[in-house]
Structures are given as structure tokens and as C-alpha cells.
Amino acid sequence: MTYLVVLDDAGAAGLTFGELAAAVAEQWAVAKPVVDLGALDRSRVLEWEARTAEGGVVEVAVNKELTCFFLDGTPEGSAEVMVWVRGLVDDAVGLTVCDDGYSFDFALDPGMSPLQVAHEL
């Protein structure tokens, strides 16, 4: 299943590409910048596979503006990555989770556990 984590106000998040890349490398040690940043159809600048506590893999990508994280994985594994993303962003910045069909959405609040997030999915 594909999920999106959308930052309500990316400018307030204070997250830079370099900081995100360093955080990904520290957590998972495997991330690759997307090479063709100039292509009009290429909106993602960083992609990686996140190994989860359950032993699964969540494929993660981030758009150029660092305003949307795309996650493809199980609800439990994706929830783990979503909580990690929440920890990167200032608590004052709202994050919204939805699926790729926009059939649901909810606020990803500071302090939510992966179990709580998975229950919402």
C-alpha cells in the first residue's frame, strides 16, 4: 500500500535536503539521491529502503520541496517510518497522513507510537 506524509508548512519545518540525507544515512545507511533532478516528470529527490523492526522493507521517497514523503509498505512498517519522519520535523508543524487515493487522512501528532499510527491506517 502507498501512503503519503504531507507537511502542512514545509518552510516552518526547517528541514534541509542535507539534514534529511544525513538522518536517513544514520538510521538506515542506504539512501540514493535521484540523479535526474531536472526532468519535469521527476519530482522525487531522495529514495531509500527502510528496514523495519518487523523485518520488512518500506520503500520511501521524498519530493523536491521536502513537503511529501511517499511510503510503500505494510501498514505496520509504514507506521514505523511515519513516526521517524514525525521526529525529524518541529512539533509545531502539522503532518497529515493519507493513502495515494486520498480515501482517508489523519493528523500525525507528536508522540504517536507506531502502533497508534498503524491503527489509523
Side-chain angles (χ1 to χ4, degrees):
M1 181 86 164
T2 301
Y3 303 101
L4 287 72
V5 177
V6 182
L7 281 72
D8 294 345
D9 183 3
L15 186 63
T16 67
F17 176 81
E19 292 167 336
L20 175 60
V24 169
E26 182 179 322
Q27 183 72 23
W28 289 288
V30 180
K32 58 178 182 176
V34 176
V35 177
D36 188 11
L37 297 179
L40 293 177
D41 64 337
R42 194 58 167 173
S43 63
R44 298 173 183 189
V45 293
L46 187 66
E47 298 173 340
W48 72 94
E49 291 184 345
R51 303 264 176 214
T52 65
E54 66 179 17
V57 173
V58 177
E59 294 179 8
V60 187
V62 182
N63 70 344
K64 287 181 190 178
E65 297 80 15
L66 304 180
T67 57
C68 187
F69 289 75
F70 303 87
L71 293 80
D72 190 10
T74 65
E76 296 78 13
S78 296
E80 190 177 319
V81 176
M82 290 174 191
V83 169
W84 177 82
V85 169
R86 174 75 263 184
L88 293 178
V89 178
D90 188 279
D91 288 354
V93 176
L95 272 68
T96 302
V97 174
C98 62
D99 66 347
D100 60 348
Y102 303 103
S103 62
F104 70 88
D105 66 75
F106 65 92
L108 181 58
D109 295 325
M112 288 182 83
S113 71
L115 186 60
Q116 289 170 312
V117 173
H119 179 72
E120 294 287 336
L121 300 174

